[in-house]
Amino acid sequence: MAGALGGAAVLSTGCSGDKDVSSTGHGAGMGHRKGLADAPVPQTPALAKYVDPLPTPMTAIPDPSVYPGADYYELTMRPGTWSFHRDLKPATVWGYWAKNPRDPHKAIGMGYLGPTISVNRDRPTVVKYRNELPTTHLFQFVIDAIRKGNPELTPMAPPPYKTKPPFPPNVNVWNVVHQHGGFTPPQSDGMPLHSFSPDGIHAESYTTLDPSRVKPNEAICAYTNHELSSMLWYHDHGMGMTSVNVYAGLAGLYLIRDPADERLGLPRGEFEVPIILQDRTFHPDGSLAYTMTQREGEDTPVVNGKAYPFLAVEPRRYRLRILNASNERFWRLRFETPRDVLPQPTLPFWLIGTDGGFRAPLQMLNLISPAERYDLIVDFGKMPMGTNITLTNYHAPVHFPGMPGMGPVISEIMQFQVTKPLSGGADKTTPPKKLQLPAVPPIEPEPDTRRREWVTYQHKLFGTMTFNAVPFMEPSQDFIKAGSSEIWEYINPNHDAHPMHVHLINFQVLNRQPIDAAAYQADYEEWLDGGRKPEGRPVLANYLTGPPIPPDPDEARSYKDTFKSYPETVTRIITQAFSPPTATIASIPGSGTEFPATYVHHCHLLEHEDDDLMRPWTIVDHDGDEHDAGHSK
């Protein structure tokens, strides 16, 4: 997009003209970072660390009386104020507020972010979303730059396609809510072209359930909640401005609960802690500064809306439900203790779940990319009273693998302070090594499993990135048979990793292989220039430079909806069956999936998503015609 951002450069190809990229440009930080770089980059004033307690987002209260057999919520997007730190004045922010069926005069929210929606598995949810935001954006300078066609901020179509504006000239703010990780019919999926503005202007594919109950600035969605026990999230997906909308505060947690989990012996109640990781920059007056038109990432860690917070804990096990809700920043987490407390100055932690739910416990240290979720167990039980454990960001630049000096370094995030006495006697939760968690069976490819290629393509340095050199606004060219499973091969010739998110489905990372990125890029360019004839498309197997690499330990035997497409690599995922929910939800006519059903996938570096690294794909029924544009094999 819009706004910015980061992208790795294409590799040097030796081609002539504006496609040639100097080999001196390493790529990390060589994306669209120059768009509005003339002004000085704002810097957050020095802040005292660990002086604000960690907030916990409130939980929305459902109304079961509106739609029989379903829980109903009303969430309103509106501006407010929020103090990110004791020493900063309150900032203007955007957030979601939930109607309180028990007290209509006391909406549930905190101004920034949104309340947590906690549901029981398989009980449907219906949500009415209302847009009461201003019609001028909180970061209007970004919207203005895109509208003026700034080539480093505006999605520019590669030849032979024509560039189309991402939003109309009379819209500065529009929004739509995506349930990230949800098993959802397309009309409730919250895709970018479903956007609607505060004054009732609709994007071309705007849709709503139960239209007699909505005003022009509203939309109703219905969710099946058929997912496994897991932590999803909801966030803005407005066409062309997702990055700045989420940056302003439009994100929240969505928990799928299963009563069977109570038998697992996991920490519960106050010992299950949501951790929403973000990075933000602040002006001296406390207001939000959006700097990703000038650099990668922001300079201050924000957790659940507080900069450098602390959490007072008991000496016992805690369950941390971590969401990376940053626009671009990767995090590598470590729990550091004082050096005289443990033989090694780090506290072990255990991964027990990822995006799609539980997995076998794994002691770990790893990266978490934007939109990924980690379900962790951390044991403070052997920590002496008064011990401070600091959650740090260990050798992790904004992008991965990154390049020194391309974005602000954040080394400390928050602190856990063992200052509360152990309550309720001994810790009766199950130690991580003894947890009996639901197994994740591997998704096995069949001999005839179809493969589909997605190339991360950048036509020009500092320019737009696309999948397969096709703009997002072009109609779907990839048609998938309902009920089938596929292997998707993400070919990334760039120098940076991209977190890729596929709507609707869970999948597993199958493997990765290194590629001769420069040769592939050069031949791909030649193929594009030659008219994209299917028979001349570069054959991936000819560019592989090493054997398949197994999934990262945190990915193995895990259900995922977001994964890291590593640089100069092909990453293969294998999907569960493409079988969207077709049954009516909550007795609402037209709430189930009808074929053909179109969804999207995209990079979850939000600035890349806005800048066109996103494409639709379509599920057709078993008897439907299948068309293809050479993206599969």
Side-chain angles (χ1 to χ4, degrees):
M1 131 176 171
L5 332 150
V10 294
L11 299 177
S12 175
T13 66
C15 302
S16 60
D18 62 12
K19 295 176 186 175
D20 185 45
V21 178
S22 169
S23 60
T24 62
H26 180 268
M30 297 293 286
H32 318 231
R33 202 63 59 185
K34 305 278 187 175
L36 299 173
D38 295 337
V41 180
Q43 305 288 332
T44 298
L47 299 174
K49 296 176 181 177
Y50 320 128
V51 296
D52 288 297
L54 177 74
T56 299
M58 299 174 68
T59 299
I61 299 172
D63 184 345
S65 67
V66 180
Y67 290 93
D71 290 330
Y72 175 72
Y73 299 87
E74 290 187 10
L75 288 184
T76 300
M77 299 169 264
R78 69 174 194 234
T81 57
W82 175 252
S83 177
F84 286 92
H85 189 273
R86 178 195 69 182
D87 300 331
L88 293 174
K89 293 180 181 179
T92 298
V93 293
W94 292 355
Y96 299 103
W97 292 83
K99 180 180 179 180
N100 187 343
R102 300 174 187 170
D103 188 342
H105 301 293
K106 293 184 178 179
I108 298 170
M110 61 185 195
Y112 184 72
L113 300 174
T116 298
I117 297 177
S118 182
V119 305
N120 286 326
R121 185 183 178 194
D122 293 330
R123 179 174 172 84
T125 296
V126 180
V127 186
K128 177 188 282 188
Y129 297 108
R130 181 178 300 111
N131 194 341
E132 293 185 356
L133 293 169
T135 55
T136 299
H137 208 284
L138 190 60
F139 305 105
Q140 186 63 36
F141 71 97
V142 178
I143 305 300
D144 290 343
I146 297 166
R147 179 165 289 123
K148 292 176 182 177
N150 184 311
E152 293 166 12
L153 300 179
T154 306
M156 307 299 288
Y161 296 100
K162 302 298 183 184
T163 296
K164 300 176 183 178
F167 37 78
N170 57 341
V171 169
N172 297 314
V173 176
W174 63 5
N175 310 85
V176 68
V177 180
H178 170 53
Q179 185 202 44
H180 183 119
F183 179 65
T184 308
Q187 61 269 42
S188 292
D189 193 49
M191 290 177 280
L193 292 176
H194 294 174
S195 298
F196 55 100
S197 74
D199 48 353
I201 299 171
H202 296 165
E204 64 183 60
S205 300
Y206 165 84
T207 183
T208 181
L209 302 180
D210 220 348
S212 65
R213 293 196 184 199
V214 301
K215 297 176 181 178
N217 67 327
E218 298 174 339
I220 290 177
C221 297
Y223 306 126
T224 64
N225 299 327
H226 286 335
E227 299 80 18
L228 298 175
S229 176
S230 56
M231 188 173 79
L232 315 182
W233 60 304
Y234 64 96
H235 61 79
D236 187 85
H237 218 315
M239 182 65 207
M241 57 183 77
T242 295
S243 58
V244 285
N245 289 346
V246 172
Y247 193 85
L250 295 179
L253 300 179
Y254 194 108
L255 295 174
I256 309 289
R257 301 287 192 184
D258 189 333
D261 296 349
E262 297 179 10
R263 300 193 296 266
L264 297 174
L266 296 171
R268 299 166 57 187
E270 65 178 296
F271 310 115
E272 180 185 11
V273 181
I275 301 287
I276 303 173
L277 285 177
Q278 297 176 306
D279 55 335
R280 297 291 183 265
T281 300
F282 304 98
H283 294 291
D285 65 359
S287 61
L288 281 169
Y290 179 85
T291 73
M292 284 182 283
T293 53
Q294 300 167 283
R295 65 180 180 189
E296 293 177 358
E298 305 293 349
D299 64 14
T300 302
V302 170
V303 188
N304 297 358
K306 287 292 179 181
Y308 299 108
F310 73 90
L311 179 67
V313 298
E314 299 181 13
R316 61 179 299 147
R317 283 181 283 273
Y318 278 72
R319 184 182 183 187
L320 306 182
R321 311 294 297 272
I322 297 182
L323 160 68
N324 183 355
S326 300
N327 280 37
E328 293 190 1
R329 183 177 291 274
F330 289 68
W331 305 84
R332 178 182 276 123
L333 304 178
R334 187 162 74 173
F335 294 81
E336 294 193 3
T337 64
R339 292 188 175 272
D340 58 349
V341 173
L342 293 172
Q344 297 293 330
T346 57
L347 188 64
F349 62 97
W350 293 78
L351 178 72
I352 65 168
T354 54
D355 308 342
F358 291 120
R359 53 148 295 142
L362 171 70
Q363 190 172 337
M364 66 168 294
L365 169 70
N366 213 332
L367 291 168
I368 180 169
S369 70
E372 289 187 299
R373 283 88 71 206
Y374 279 176
D375 194 347
L376 303 183
I377 299 291
V378 181
D379 191 351
F380 302 111
K382 295 182 179 180
M383 297 294 100
M385 291 298 289
T387 303
N388 295 331
I389 296 97
T390 304
L391 180 62
T392 64
N393 186 35
Y394 174 65
H395 292 178
V398 177
H399 291 175
F400 178 80
M403 184 177 178
M406 297 311 300
V409 174
I410 294 177
S411 58
E412 297 182 38
I413 301 171
M414 66 172 291
Q415 199 167 78
F416 297 88
Q417 301 176 354
V418 187
T419 56
K420 299 173 71 174
L422 185 64
S423 61
D427 184 351
K428 299 181 178 62
T429 61
T430 305
K433 288 183 179 180
K434 296 182 179 180
L435 279 171
Q436 300 295 316
L437 299 176
V440 178
I443 305 173
E444 299 287 358
E446 301 292 337
D448 60 347
T449 300
R450 184 160 192 175
R451 293 174 180 250
R452 195 174 299 268
E453 292 182 0
W454 301 102
V455 179
T456 301
Y457 172 73
Q458 191 174 34
H459 174 62
K460 185 178 180 181
L461 182 61
F462 302 119
T464 294
M465 281 184 283
T466 58
F467 283 123
N468 297 335
V470 182
F472 169 68
M473 300 285 270
E474 292 299 314
S476 176
Q477 298 176 351
D478 289 87
F479 297 87
I480 301 162
K481 290 183 178 180
S484 67
S485 173
E486 294 195 351
I487 294 171
W488 285 11
E489 299 180 300
Y490 285 81
I491 301 168
N492 180 6
N494 299 162
H495 282 293
D496 281 346
H498 298 273
M500 300 299 189
H501 170 50
V502 185
H503 286 212
L504 176 67
I505 58 166
N506 275 181
F507 52 79
Q508 292 175 3
V509 176
L510 194 60
N511 58 45
R512 295 181 172 90
Q513 270 184 285
I515 61 172
D516 184 341
Y520 184 90
Q521 180 79 37
D523 291 348
Y524 194 78
E525 294 277 8
E526 184 177 349
W527 176 71
L528 294 175
D529 292 341
R532 309 182 184 224
K533 297 175 182 178
E535 65 275 12
R537 183 184 176 96
V539 177
L540 176 62
N542 295 336
Y543 303 87
L544 301 175
T545 59
I549 301 167
D552 291 343
D554 61 305
E555 299 169 327
R557 295 294 181 95
S558 296
Y559 288 130
K560 299 285 293 175
D561 59 50
T562 306
F563 74 96
K564 294 174 278 286
S565 175
Y566 286 142
E568 301 179 47
T569 300
V570 54
T571 303
R572 299 182 181 94
I573 65 171
I574 183 167
T575 70
Q576 291 182 315
F578 289 91
S579 300
T582 55
T584 298
I585 304 172
S587 302
I588 302 175
S591 56
T593 301
E594 296 182 0
F595 298 108
T598 295
Y599 294 86
V600 301
H601 69 137
H602 56 85
C603 178
H604 224 284
L605 300 179
L606 296 183
E607 286 73 15
H608 289 188
E609 170 188 336
D610 282 341
D611 201 23
D612 239 24
L613 193 47
M614 177 166 57
R615 278 294 290 156
W617 45 271
T618 300
I619 304 172
V620 296
D621 62 24
H622 294 282
D623 299 323
D625 293 333
E626 183 172 357
H627 309 280
D628 213 314
H631 304 329
S632 17
K633 58 183 181 180

